[in-house]
Amino acid sequence: MNEPRTWQETLLNPLAGSHLLKICQDEAMQAEAVAYFIKGGLLDNELVIIIARAPLRNAIISRLNAMGVNVQFSKNQGQLRFLDAEFLLSRILINETLEDRVIQELIVRPIQIAHAEHRKIRAFGEMVDILWQRRQYDRALQLEMLWDDLSREYQFSLFCTYLSKSFDANHYDESLEHVCKVHTHLLPLEHEEMTVTSAKVEAVDLFRAAWDRVIGKVAAAKRIPQIPI
């Protein structure tokens, strides 16, 4: 089967065990992308777990409603679960150290239970982007790898988004390479998504150029098996 051509199709129907990444210009694009990911899971009768802060949760719900998705019904059926990213981070990150026992209790155990019930799962997490914005890069990558191990072990699809503004313009290449290496699918950075005022054109062009360089480097090294076009 051919790989879907668009990021929307990829998010609607990701491969089991895939760890997807999309860089978003703003919160509106972020909510749009996550809404597609959720819709696909609900249509496929999967358990969908969303870990996000209140503003993103509200934006996602608004977008899902616009797509004709009955969010409240899905929540009532236990098919769609929203968890607060700030609360989870406050519990699993103590003195800048990830607490394994709490991670097992709050993240791993619910996935194990769903897997034991033979339920298909997909999950989205905003926590890594929050950590990146706080410049806690090591913890963000550590959490990415933990999630990656889980998605492979329990064969569920995992989606991460990072806002482009989370990245330091002085270290675009290095930061993007670190982030890209811990994902299996890199969703295209489409030009029309990054509409900006003339004052920001140069910054956006720098980001696009860095993204293209990193994608080429990662693909050449074959670290990412499939990169949708």
Side-chain angles (χ1 to χ4, degrees), residues 208-224:
R208 287 175 179 160
W211 173 261
D212 290 340
R213 285 194 298 271
V214 169
I215 290 295
K217 185 175 182 179
V218 169
K222 298 182 179 180
R223 292 176 179 143
I224 304 293

Side-chain angles (χ1 to χ4, degrees), residues 5-63:
R5 295 182 179 180
T6 69
W7 63 263
Q8 292 93 335
E9 291 171 327
T10 303
L11 290 175
L12 285 170
N13 299 289
L15 297 175
S18 60
H19 188 179
L20 305 103
L21 167 68
K22 184 164 181 60
I23 306 293
C24 300
Q25 177 195 352
D26 53 31
E27 290 81 357
M29 173 50 62
Q30 189 179 35
E32 176 90 0
V34 179
Y36 272 101
F37 184 69
I38 293 172
K39 182 178 180 180
L42 297 179
L43 289 173
D44 199 32
N45 199 34
E46 298 179 34
L47 169 62
V48 183
I49 301 171
I50 304 299
I51 303 173
R53 290 176 286 191
L56 180 56
R57 292 199 306 271
N58 293 336
I60 291 168
I61 291 170
S62 177
R63 189 69 194 95

